[in-house]
Amino acid sequence: MGQYSAENGSATDWHMMHLGHLSLSGAGLLITEATAVEVPGRLSKSDLGLFSDENEEALARVVAFCRKHGGAKLGSQLYHGGRKSSITTAWEGQKAIPLEQGGWVPASASDVPYPGRNTPQGLDEAGIKRAIQAFADAAKRADRIGFDMIEIHGAHGYLIHNFLSPFANTRTDRYGGSLEGRMRFAIEVFEAIRAVVPERKPIGMRISATDWAEGGWSLDDSVVLAKELRARGCDYITASSGGSVPEQQLNVGPGYQVPFAERIRREAGITSMAVGLITEPQQAEDIVANGRADLVALGRGMLFNPRWPWHAALALGGQAYYPPQYERSHPKMRAGDFLKPRAGA
């Protein structure tokens, strides 16, 4: 979940606290907020980034803390905001920042604006190459820092999704038109990152499985993309949805996106991660146990209850990581400290 608390892309004390305490949560994997690969690719001026040496140094300090005290594997989620860029923070309403007030021209597949935001500039082929290189360079930084894996954010109306969705991509060259053309940018970003990250480190892609709007990107398209990515060594797909256009017609309810992960897993033969209103331990357990997805991720639920994995492990009879400083809080230790005989008694 975006924190909008970086300074020139660099992690701050907020990130030390935020990621630090989530690394203690008992989760098996902690993935950072969407991290911009270049300055124009930030949604807001306070987005986390990995586009400079200063960014790398600041985030390395946070990762070192998580390694020393936490139990979770660590993932870096890399993204470019595309046509949604140049906005205020979430708590400021995510409103467009006009150019005359310090905003910038977003980049996209085409010059089709997201309603209410700055008109983007469609990337020419040189711009596409620069964007792909920015992803690769950020991935190299993430690898040097010591992240265990990388997730490419290709969902929610950001740059990769701009190329995938007909709503944002009106190109007639080899990066537009047919499904094959619209998938090309996403595939080339993956290939560029895979080429610079050690094979032992997994790389996945988060996609919007559907635009939830007639004539847009569809679940059928997502299955095709997942197959193409799997053939190139992609390790998993996170199946989110929406974010391309405001007129989307979402059908929201508990686990509403799980069917997307289930179908992609079944038909593309790739590991899938389920997200979206997964809130209860048994709900999460059933998704995995019934083969609907291989992994379950929580965002808002973990912000609300950062010890969710502890409670889930207790409810399901499993084990979860506890730092030694907190071990006495575990129910199995309840009253234990007070029942031990004192020395010399």
Side-chain angles (χ1 to χ4, degrees), residues 111-185:
D111 59 356
V112 180
Y114 185 86
R117 299 195 183 176
N118 296 349
T119 298
Q121 181 177 19
L123 292 173
D124 58 17
E125 291 220 13
I128 287 173
K129 289 179 180 178
R130 286 195 302 272
I132 292 172
Q133 188 61 51
F135 272 99
D137 290 345
K140 286 189 282 189
R141 292 185 185 279
D143 176 48
R144 286 198 297 263
I145 288 171
F147 280 101
D148 297 297
M149 50 79 71
I150 288 173
E151 181 168 279
I152 304 164
H153 199 325
H156 302 164
Y158 301 153
L159 184 61
I160 292 175
H161 192 186
N162 295 162
F163 276 86
L164 294 173
S165 176
F167 291 138
N169 187 343
T170 59
R171 304 175 75 101
T172 57
D173 64 0
R174 65 196 189 101
Y175 287 95
S178 67
L179 177 60
E180 179 183 9
R182 287 182 283 113
M183 292 192 304
R184 191 182 306 278
F185 181 72

Side-chain angles (χ1 to χ4, degrees), residues 24 26 310-311 314 320-331:
L24 309 176
W310 293 3
H311 301 298
L314 187 64
Y321 170 81
Y322 274 76
Q325 294 93 330
Y326 288 176
E327 187 175 6
R328 286 173 293 171
S329 70
H330 196 288

Side-chain angles (χ1 to χ4, degrees), residues 17-197:
M17 179 281 298
H18 172 65
L19 293 173
H21 86 101
L22 289 175
S23 74
L24 309 176
S25 68
L29 172 65
L30 168 60
I31 301 178
T32 64
E33 66 192 89
T35 302
V37 300
E38 63 175 6
V39 173
R42 299 173 298 168
L43 280 185
S44 79
K45 295 178 181 179
S46 51
D47 278 18
L48 188 64
L50 263 180
F51 45 76
S52 72
D53 292 344
E54 291 76 18
N55 296 166
E56 184 177 340
E57 181 180 356
L59 193 53
R61 175 172 169 262
V62 176
V63 168
F65 177 93
C66 295
R67 285 274 182 244
K68 181 176 181 180
H69 297 290
K73 295 291 185 181
L74 303 174
S76 175
Q77 187 185 80
L78 302 178
Y79 94 118
H80 187 299
R83 69 176 188 159
K84 283 189 165 181
S85 298
S86 189
I87 59 172
T88 59
T89 65
W91 51 86
E92 294 170 326
Q94 293 191 318
K95 298 176 182 177
I97 305 173
L99 301 183
E100 61 273 17
Q101 295 179 23
W104 57 97
V105 177
S108 187
S110 304
D111 59 356
V112 180
Y114 185 86
R117 299 195 183 176
N118 296 349
T119 298
Q121 181 177 19
L123 292 173
D124 58 17
E125 291 220 13
I128 287 173
K129 289 179 180 178
R130 286 195 302 272
I132 292 172
Q133 188 61 51
F135 272 99
D137 290 345
K140 286 189 282 189
R141 292 185 185 279
D143 176 48
R144 286 198 297 263
I145 288 171
F147 280 101
D148 297 297
M149 50 79 71
I150 288 173
E151 181 168 279
I152 304 164
H153 199 325
H156 302 164
Y158 301 153
L159 184 61
I160 292 175
H161 192 186
N162 295 162
F163 276 86
L164 294 173
S165 176
F167 291 138
N169 187 343
T170 59
R171 304 175 75 101
T172 57
D173 64 0
R174 65 196 189 101
Y175 287 95
S178 67
L179 177 60
E180 179 183 9
R182 287 182 283 113
M183 292 192 304
R184 191 182 306 278
F185 181 72
I187 290 170
E188 290 184 356
V189 168
F190 173 81
E191 290 175 333
I193 291 178
R194 183 71 281 176
V196 299
V197 173

Side-chain angles (χ1 to χ4, degrees), residues 1-5 14-15 18 32-34 47 77 90-91 303:
M1 300 294 294
Q3 298 300 293
Y4 303 101
S5 299
W14 177 266
H15 294 92
H18 172 65
T32 64
E33 66 192 89
D47 278 18
Q77 187 185 80
W91 51 86
L303 296 188

Side-chain angles (χ1 to χ4, degrees), residues 95-309:
K95 298 176 182 177
I97 305 173
L99 301 183
E100 61 273 17
Q101 295 179 23
W104 57 97
V105 177
S108 187
S110 304
D111 59 356
V112 180
Y114 185 86
R117 299 195 183 176
N118 296 349
T119 298
Q121 181 177 19
L123 292 173
D124 58 17
E125 291 220 13
I128 287 173
K129 289 179 180 178
R130 286 195 302 272
I132 292 172
Q133 188 61 51
F135 272 99
D137 290 345
K140 286 189 282 189
R141 292 185 185 279
D143 176 48
R144 286 198 297 263
I145 288 171
F147 280 101
D148 297 297
M149 50 79 71
I150 288 173
E151 181 168 279
I152 304 164
H153 199 325
H156 302 164
Y158 301 153
L159 184 61
I160 292 175
H161 192 186
N162 295 162
F163 276 86
L164 294 173
S165 176
F167 291 138
N169 187 343
T170 59
R171 304 175 75 101
T172 57
D173 64 0
R174 65 196 189 101
Y175 287 95
S178 67
L179 177 60
E180 179 183 9
R182 287 182 283 113
M183 292 192 304
R184 191 182 306 278
F185 181 72
I187 290 170
E188 290 184 356
V189 168
F190 173 81
E191 290 175 333
I193 291 178
R194 183 71 281 176
V196 299
V197 173
E199 192 64 32
R200 70 180 186 278
K201 295 190 176 185
I203 301 174
M205 185 176 288
R206 184 183 184 95
I207 65 172
S208 282
T210 174
D211 281 341
W212 293 99
E214 188 70 29
W217 181 261
S218 71
L219 182 54
D220 289 342
D221 297 334
S222 292
V223 171
V224 175
L225 175 62
K227 288 179 179 178
E228 293 294 331
L229 290 170
R230 179 179 60 82
R232 291 164 172 80
C234 185
D235 293 285
Y236 74 93
I237 294 291
T238 299
S240 188
S241 67
S244 184
V245 289
E247 58 266 28
Q248 60 190 6
Q249 297 294 313
L250 278 72
N251 183 19
V252 178
Y256 71 106
Q257 296 179 135
V258 174
F260 305 147
E262 182 177 17
R263 184 174 166 197
I264 289 170
R265 180 181 190 269
R266 181 179 66 250
E267 296 187 15
I270 192 169
T271 297
S272 71
M273 182 183 294
V275 299
L277 288 185
I278 300 169
T279 58
E280 303 303 321
Q282 191 62 53
Q283 177 193 17
E285 174 71 9
D286 290 345
I287 290 168
V288 175
N290 294 332
R292 305 189 70 192
D294 302 280
L295 302 148
V296 167
L298 283 78
R300 291 172 176 83
M302 284 292 291
L303 296 188
F304 184 72
N305 178 9
R307 302 294 181 258
W308 191 94

